[in-house]
Structures are given as structure tokens and as C-alpha cells.
Amino acid sequence: MITLAQVRDVYLAPNEDPLALGFISIFLGGSVIHQQDVEHILRRGSDWDGVGIVRTKQDIVVLVREKRASLRALLGIVREDSTDTSWEDASVDEANWQLEHLEAVAKYDETCYLGVLSHRVLHNIGLRHEDFGPGILVSPPTTVTDCVSVMTDFDILQIPNGTGSATPTGVWPGIVCDLILTSWCIFEHSSGLADFQKRLLWSKWLLVSKMKRLEALAPFLYRWYTFSKDYKENLMMDAHRLLKGHELKAWSTADSESNSNTLSDMHDHLITCPVSLVDGNSGAQTGMGTKFVSYHRLKISPAMNSDPLVAWRETAIKHELESKWQSGEDFVVNWSAPFQSPFARNSYGEKAIIEHRQTGVRHHVYIKTADTFLDEANAMEQLEAFFPKHNLQQILAIDRGHKRILFEYFDGKSLLDIRTQCRLENSTSDMSEVVCRWLLSIESQRAHQIMLAYRLSYLPNGASKQLHHEPKLHRYFFHRLHNDTRLKEFYENKTPTFLDPHGRATGSLKEFLALPIYVNKNASKPLREHLDTAESLLHPQADHFSRLPFVYGLGDGHGGNVMVADKETTTPVLRFVDYEVAGYNPIVLELAKPIYHDCFLDARGGGVLVDDLRQHTEARIPKVRWQVGQDGVHIDYDLQMSFLDKALATTKFEYLVCPILQHIHQHCGPESLLHEAEMALGHALLCCAILPRDFSHRADLFFLNLAIGIDLVTDLRGTIDKIFGLQNWPAKESSHCA
């Protein structure tokens, strides 16, 4: 086995002083540290990972600004690589911009969890337990710059035990914590410092996991299964030596002056979500497999940086649009082809090659034609204040006469199109771990960007009164409900199949709406009453909206409006599209469409899976049966979610939905406001279930979505728990929506 002396000789230059660079300890690990022979490692060019601990965050800035050459010499770094570009090759402006952000981090003096600055952005990692098998750990890093992020040790995965109960059997230490525990210390400022740091980490994770023995925790370390027998034994002997005689009751200030909080304080918002997975065919407990992930919560307020929140101001598109963007009349279309997603129903899209009439310069563009084209143009200035520019569409020209916008072309597919394609290609089996991790990276990156925009644009309760217009997002909810506008648009002049005369007892939509509904034998009010309640709760002037936060969001930010470069890269390239209702909106309404469209994809898009959901018995296909009679509408449905469906939904709830609800519960008013917020959200989800599309020719999809919508209105938390296994709601003692 490799010795510490060998590692130090190979990877640490003897003529450079780590202490002079600000380091108090340096750990080296990764895939090389567990090998048997240094020469073999060097021949293979194996990867290695290091963690350097410095005195202060300001030392990081000094390293980057003044001591980079010495740092490279110390570690034998020939070239500095990042996600997209090296610091060495970066322009002066880009380097200064990075340093400004690093300096901002250094000045932010709030106590942080253990974390490292990293060029390599990992939104998730693959894990394997010797008994439970493979799994995926999701933990979005905190972005500092476009190519530098902070990865923390505050990420946990709990696993259900073999009996299927929710009692956890262990936790996954975060990758940063994990790296230090399994690495060699090749430098320490003073004797015993590395031991002290490792002792704190072992203590912390034994406390967090509620485990009594190190041997039970160790198999949860990253790549433990690849360690040699000798390395495992030495690691355990060292851990026992460190902890001998030390009580593990708390991680307190007595252990470290840098920690101002106790362990319980530091993990006051620790959220875990164990789930038991059952094989759909045999009904047998399947253990972990590539089954489930769990996450920690992020707080939405205040914003991470200490700067004042971006001031809100209204903008208006004037007739002189050409002063900012070119005129569409200046271009001629050389070639075009329809480019339409099934999730885009209010516009017409086409990809095209256009040529400027005067200069002859050609552009590859996406042309969007819609009555609301000015709304999208109007939103651009504010969007760029809250979202990274590279995640937004770039307008090339505006064509007023044809009501269209010419965007620079982005070569990708919508996220929901990608998921649908993957679903069709893997209709009878689980998707590969590579695909799962790629899609999870997209979802966690997306949630991170959305939450950051919410934090930057946050208007606390009451501040929304400064808005001088009605939020545009209400057009998808209240205005579709009012006077049954949407129902009349779809069904007033025709007989939809869900009112088919065969076996029904009512002859009109009005009579249908008046019938009580029974979902899986549970009685509910008539749809008419649910819709009337929804109209009242979602009225723009409803009292709870004045007491809830507003944020600047996409409004229609579901996965059908998220374009993804069609490459399974470690860090997927995202672009948010469709800004028709972007603006300052009630935060609760911002959540509705992303929840329903993304989490209930098979229910909304079941038409691409099969022609009739009643005719299939395959476990992965939604099932629905219904009967309409004089006594009411009876619907029975079953919706089985795959591991990936649950993981993606849980990502959205843990990183977006639940932190927002937690914030409302803690900061926005009386405890009843959380209940009102969930009531509004539940009824907004009902709107998302039955109002966006015309079900005239798909009665099966109508009744399936109606049943899900009724369940969400009746018991929001219980329905989400039942379908996705999510049990980590804020203020659990609060009553469900009813």
C-alpha cells in the first residue's frame, strides 16, 4: 500500500512552503490514494483530489490574486482547468469579475458549513453501498462565478431498511467531508491539527447518523467498496484512535472556535426523505438499488450576498423597439421549418436561416409568433437582472408586423421532450444511471437558478403593493376560471368524449359539473364547487396574496420551457424560454405549473404513451377507470412513479417548494397563512390539471388529470406523499389543505 511519505514526495514540492501560502493543512485523496503503487498511478495518469484548508476566506483571495504561481509550483500543477476555460487563459475582465465574487465571499462573515471552492461542478455523485447497492446523491453546489462553485459537506442520503419502514439505517457524508476522512494529510501547520479536524468530522457524522459504531458508518463513505482490505483496516484503526476518550454528545464551541453554533443549530433545517421501493411486478422489497435520493433545504431569504436586493422597476416597450433590437423587416427568411414542442400551445415556432438585406450576414434563428410577443420583449431587461444571461434567450430582432420575435438559435430540446423521449425508449426498464444523473443535474441546476432569482428579486409580504399592474400570471389561473372562460373555449360548441352519451346520465357540461366526484372511492364535492373555490382563492385581489411574497419569475417555468443542449455533459447547458407571463408574480402561483407539468408528466402526456389508458396493464403506464351516473362521477386511478420520477420531483420539492413554504411559515405572518398558501397552491394545481389542454378526444386523460387535481385540492400533502414518498413538509403539525 502507498505510504504517506511516498504521497508527500510525489505530490508536494519540497521547495515551497504551504504555510507561507496560507494553508494550515492539505489533504490528498481521490481514486489514486487507495491504489497499491505510486509508479502505476503515474503511468495511468489517474485522477486525484485534494482539499486545502486555509486560515481565512481572505486567504483564498490572496492565493488567486497574488500567489497562483507558487500554488502551482507547490502542487506541481502544469495547467489550471475549469469547467469551460482555464484561469490562465481567461481575459482580464473575466478574471477580475471572478476575483470580485471571491472577495464578496470572503467578506461574507456568516458561519458556513464545511465547503470547498471547486472548478469542477458536481450536482450529484454515484454511490454504492456494499449491502444496499448503488445510489445517487444529489447536492447542488453554491455558484460563486460561472466556473467556480462551493461544494459543502451538508448533503445526506438516508436509506430505508430491509423491512420497508422509514427508519434510516445510515447517512452518506457529504463529498467534502468524505474526501478529508479518507485522504492522507500531506501537510499540517502544527502536529495533531489534522487529527483534530478529522475527529470533528467523524464526531459530526456519527451524531447526524445516530449511529453507535464507526463500522456501521464507514461503508457509506464514497467508493468505500473500492478500498483495499488493508486500507479499510487502517482507516478504522485511525478513526478509533481519534475518537477514543472523546464524548460524542455535541459538536460544540469547545471543539472549535470557528464554529459558533452547536451541531443541532447547524442542522436545524436538516431534511431527509427515506423511501421504500417495491418491485412493481413481484411486490418484493428491492432494497436501495439506484432508487432514491434525499436533500437538504436551502433558505430563500435573505439573499446570499450582502448587497441590497435589485430594485424593482417597471419597463415598457415603446414603438422605438428597433433602437434596442433590429427590425425583423431588415431580414429575409432563406429557409424555415416548423419547430414546435407539444408543450407549447399558445404560439407558433420555427427554426430558420435569415439574411440581413443590406449586409448579407446570415443568422440561424428561432422565430416565435404569438400575440403576446411584446410581453416577452418587455420581460427581457428584468430577466437579465435576476437570471444569468447565458441561461436566457437572446433577441436578434422584433417583427411588429407579423407579431414575432427572432431569437438566436439554441441547439437543444425542451426538458419535457427529452424526458418523454427517454420514457418511450425505456418503457419497460429503469433508465441507466448515466441518464438519471444527467437529468438530476439538470433539475438541481434549474432549481438553483430559479431559487437564486427568487432571492434576488424577493418582495416581502405587503411590498407587492408597489406593483402598478396585475401580475400577468393570473391569466393562466383566475382569468381562465372566471365565467368558465376556458371550459367554454374548449367544450361549449361540441360534445367532448368525457360526456359521451353511452352510459352517462347527464346531457351537458353544466350538469356534469354539478355531480359529486368520487376518487378511488373517496367522496368529494362537485367540480363546480371546486372551480368556484379556486376562482375565489386565486382572485388577484385575494387577501392572502397581499400577505404572501412576490418574486420575479418565469411564470410559465415548467420543463417544456426549459431548453437543454442535447448532450449528456457533466454540467448541462440550460436555457429558459417563453417569457409571456414573466414578471413579479405571487410566489405560490410561480410554483404551480412547474410542479404539475414536471412531476405529473405521465398524466399530462399519457397520450404519447398509449392510445387509451384503460386498455393497458403495464405497471409503468397510468391506469384510470371511470363511470358517470346520476349519483356522481366515479374515478379510480393508479399512478406509479419510477425512481427517476420520484427523484426529480423530490429535487423540486426539497430545493424549491418546501423552502418557500418553510419561509412563509416562519416569516410571513400567522401560522394560518401557510395553510392559506397551500390551499391556493392546491387549487392552482387543479387548474393546471384540467384547464391547459382540450380533452375533447381523450376522456381517459381528462378523468385521470381530474382525479389527480381533486386529490391535490382535497389533501395536497397527503397526495404528494402517497405518489412521490415526500414526507418532509414544513410545520408538519399544520393541517392539510381541505
Side-chain angles (χ1 to χ4, degrees):
M1 187 175 67
I2 301 172
T3 66
L4 175 59
Q6 287 177 302
V7 174
R8 185 181 289 116
D9 289 344
V10 171
Y11 293 109
L12 202 62
N15 58 338
E16 293 288 343
D17 182 10
L19 186 61
L21 297 179
F23 289 106
I24 60 173
S25 56
I26 299 176
F27 296 88
L28 185 69
S31 60
V32 302
I33 204 69
H34 316 300
Q35 305 299 320
Q36 300 296 315
D37 179 74
V38 171
E39 294 302 323
H40 178 67
I41 294 168
L42 294 175
R43 286 195 303 270
R44 291 185 59 189
S46 298
D47 188 22
W48 59 274
D49 300 301
V51 174
I53 300 178
V54 296
R55 299 183 189 91
T56 68
K57 287 182 283 186
Q58 184 60 38
D59 286 322
I60 300 172
V61 177
V62 174
L63 273 174
V64 175
R65 183 186 288 278
E66 302 173 8
K67 301 180 179 180
R68 291 238 298 276
S70 296
L71 178 62
R72 290 197 299 268
L74 173 71
L75 300 176
I77 297 174
V78 178
R79 185 174 184 272
E80 304 172 31
D81 288 324
S82 65
T83 304
D84 299 310
T85 183
S86 71
W87 274 345
E88 205 165 274
D89 298 334
S91 67
V92 174
D93 289 340
E94 183 179 2
N96 287 337
W97 184 69
Q98 291 173 345
L99 287 170
E100 288 174 1
H101 282 72
L102 292 174
E103 288 169 342
V105 171
K107 294 175 183 177
Y108 187 63
D109 57 4
E110 179 177 316
T111 300
C112 299
Y113 307 115
L114 176 66
V116 294
L117 281 172
S118 175
H119 280 304
R120 188 181 180 190
V121 178
L122 292 175
H123 289 272
N124 59 65
I125 57 174
L127 299 168
R128 181 180 296 276
H129 189 279
E130 293 174 326
D131 296 325
F132 297 106
I136 299 173
L137 174 64
V138 174
S139 179
T142 299
T143 300
V144 178
T145 73
D146 275 354
C147 60
V148 179
S149 299
V150 176
M151 296 190 300
T152 74
D153 76 326
F154 196 64
D155 42 21
I156 291 182
L157 170 65
Q158 290 198 350
I159 303 174
N161 63 24
T163 63
S165 70
T167 303
T169 59
V171 299
W172 296 103
I175 189 169
V176 178
C177 166
D178 186 298
L179 180 61
I180 293 175
L181 290 179
T182 60
S183 299
W184 289 108
C185 178
I186 61 175
F187 169 77
E188 57 181 344
H189 170 248
S190 57
S191 178
L193 179 61
D195 283 355
F196 170 74
Q197 292 163 335
K198 286 191 175 186
R199 181 183 299 119
L200 286 179
L201 294 178
W202 279 118
S203 300
K204 171 183 177 178
W205 286 98
L206 282 171
L207 285 166
V208 170
S209 66
K210 297 183 173 64
M211 289 183 175
K212 303 296 184 183
R213 299 171 59 250
L214 284 166
E215 286 75 10
L217 177 61
F220 291 90
L221 295 173
Y222 181 58
R223 296 185 66 83
W224 172 266
Y225 69 97
T226 67
F227 298 176
S228 68
K229 180 180 178 181
D230 288 344
Y231 193 86
K232 290 178 180 178
E233 290 177 354
N234 289 337
L235 189 64
M236 286 293 92
M237 289 175 58
D238 189 57
H240 281 290
R241 175 186 65 81
L242 292 172
L243 295 179
K244 185 177 180 180
H246 292 270
E247 295 184 4
L248 305 178
K249 294 182 180 179
W251 190 17
S252 66
T253 54
D255 293 318
S256 173
E257 294 181 0
S258 62
N259 283 309
S260 60
N261 299 318
T262 64
L263 179 74
S264 59
D265 291 334
M266 292 184 69
H267 294 80
D268 60 352
H269 59 287
L270 175 64
I271 302 299
T272 53
C273 195
V275 160
S276 301
L277 272 296
V278 176
D279 186 275
N281 297 319
S282 66
Q285 176 74 27
T286 60
M288 180 186 170
T290 52
K291 291 300 186 278
F292 200 68
V293 288
S294 185
Y295 319 88
H296 67 272
R297 292 251 171 95
L298 303 178
K299 296 179 179 179
I300 75 164
S301 176
M304 282 192 60
N305 58 55
S306 56
D307 298 330
L309 295 180
V310 179
W312 175 83
R313 66 184 187 279
E314 291 187 84
T315 59
I317 294 296
K318 301 179 174 60
H319 289 289
E320 297 80 21
L321 279 173
E322 287 74 14
S323 63
K324 183 170 185 178
W325 296 295
Q326 300 181 72
S327 170
E329 297 177 357
D330 294 338
F331 294 89
V332 60
V333 177
N334 289 342
W335 170 88
S336 67
F339 189 77
Q340 193 79 358
S341 168
F343 301 98
R345 303 180 185 278
N346 302 316
S347 62
Y348 175 74
E350 54 187 327
K351 55 183 178 180
I353 296 176
I354 62 174
E355 181 177 328
H356 197 277
R357 296 180 186 275
Q358 293 183 349
T359 66
V361 176
R362 292 189 174 189
H363 300 271
H364 195 187
V365 298
Y366 170 73
I367 301 176
K368 180 175 181 179
T369 303
D371 290 337
T372 55
F373 78 106
L374 285 183
D375 287 331
E376 295 211 48
N378 191 25
M380 287 302 298
E381 183 176 352
Q382 290 291 340
L383 283 167
E384 290 178 359
F386 304 124
F387 290 86
K389 191 172 182 178
H390 63 267
N391 289 134
L392 299 172
Q393 288 181 289
Q394 302 303 310
I395 295 179
L396 180 65
I398 301 285
D399 186 343
R400 279 182 168 275
H402 296 91
K403 296 184 178 180
R404 61 187 186 181
I405 302 179
L406 285 66
F407 295 101
E408 292 181 5
Y409 184 73
F410 177 75
D411 188 16
K413 297 179 180 178
S414 85
L415 178 56
L416 293 190
D417 286 338
I418 292 172
R419 285 184 57 192
T420 299
Q421 180 181 346
C422 291
R423 178 74 171 82
L424 292 171
E425 293 173 353
N426 300 270
S427 59
T428 59
S429 61
D430 284 324
M431 295 182 195
S432 70
E433 181 179 330
V434 172
V435 174
C436 288
R437 289 186 60 186
W438 184 64
L439 289 170
L440 283 168
S441 293
I442 294 171
E443 191 62 46
S444 56
Q445 181 183 348
R446 172 187 171 198
H448 176 79
Q449 295 291 358
I450 296 293
M451 181 61 84
L452 184 59
Y454 289 174
R455 296 170 72 180
L456 290 172
S457 62
Y458 180 84
L459 292 179
N461 49 315
S464 60
K465 293 177 182 178
Q466 65 183 283
L467 301 177
H468 301 302
H469 60 86
E470 179 183 286
K472 290 179 285 188
L473 188 50
H474 285 299
R475 69 180 63 163
Y476 285 164
F477 297 100
F478 174 76
H479 293 290
R480 287 180 174 178
L481 288 164
H482 188 56
N483 293 326
D484 291 335
T485 299
R486 192 66 155 180
L487 294 178
K488 291 176 181 177
E489 175 188 342
F490 285 157
Y491 310 121
E492 188 171 45
N493 298 317
K494 55 187 171 184
T495 302
T497 54
F498 60 81
L499 291 180
D500 187 272
H502 299 294
R504 69 177 178 85
T506 62
S508 69
L509 179 62
K510 181 178 179 180
E511 292 173 307
F512 177 85
L513 295 176
L515 291 173
I517 300 175
Y518 299 84
V519 176
N520 290 339
K521 309 298 188 296
N522 297 313
S524 183
K525 297 179 293 188
L527 183 55
R528 172 77 279 155
E529 293 187 35
H530 285 301
L531 294 176
D532 290 345
T533 301
E535 183 176 345
S536 175
L537 286 172
L538 303 179
H539 193 288
Q541 302 304 316
D543 177 64
H544 48 261
F545 284 141
S546 68
R547 294 183 288 128
L548 289 169
F550 276 56
V551 292
Y552 200 97
L554 299 166
D556 201 12
H558 59 78
N561 288 329
V562 178
M563 300 294 291
V564 183
D566 194 19
K567 298 176 183 177
E568 293 179 4
T569 54
T570 302
T571 305
V573 179
L574 307 185
R575 185 156 293 182
F576 300 112
V577 303
D578 194 347
Y579 315 133
E580 176 186 339
V581 292
Y584 269 99
N585 294 306
I587 197 168
V588 171
L589 292 188
E590 277 280 336
L591 299 175
K593 294 190 78 172
I595 290 176
Y596 197 83
H597 286 50
D598 298 349
C599 298
F600 296 93
L601 178 60
D602 279 1
R604 290 197 70 255
V608 302
L609 300 176
V610 294
D611 294 330
D612 191 335
L613 297 178
R614 293 173 296 181
Q615 306 302 320
H616 287 261
T617 59
E618 183 186 329
R620 295 173 179 269
I621 301 294
K623 302 172 183 63
V624 63
R625 301 272 181 178
W626 66 90
Q627 182 177 356
V628 181
Q630 292 182 342
D631 62 333
V633 180
H634 298 261
I635 311 172
D636 293 308
Y637 80 98
D638 181 43
L639 193 61
Q640 296 294 325
M641 294 293 174
S642 67
F643 156 69
L644 180 61
D645 293 330
K646 290 183 177 181
L648 292 173
T650 305
T651 305
K652 189 180 300 294
F653 275 89
E654 289 290 347
Y655 285 141
L656 203 60
V657 180
C658 288
I660 288 171
L661 295 178
Q662 181 72 31
H663 175 79
I664 291 172
H665 173 64
Q666 292 180 338
H667 302 288
C668 294
E671 188 169 332
S672 61
L673 186 60
L674 175 62
H675 175 70
E676 294 178 51
E678 291 185 21
M679 287 281 287
L681 177 59
H683 284 80
L685 292 172
L686 173 63
C687 294
C688 295
I690 64 173
L691 297 184
R693 63 175 294 183
D694 185 344
F695 292 105
S696 293
H697 304 293
R698 288 299 303 261
D700 56 338
L701 293 180
F702 171 78
F703 284 109
L704 174 62
N705 284 275
L706 173 61
I708 295 171
I710 295 298
D711 273 352
L712 290 168
V713 163
T714 304
D715 184 0
L716 174 62
R717 296 186 177 200
T719 301
I720 298 297
D721 290 350
K722 177 181 67 176
I723 295 176
F724 300 105
L726 183 78
Q727 302 173 9
N728 301 319
W729 296 87
K732 283 190 175 183
E733 68 278 4
S734 296
S735 59
H736 295 320
C737 294

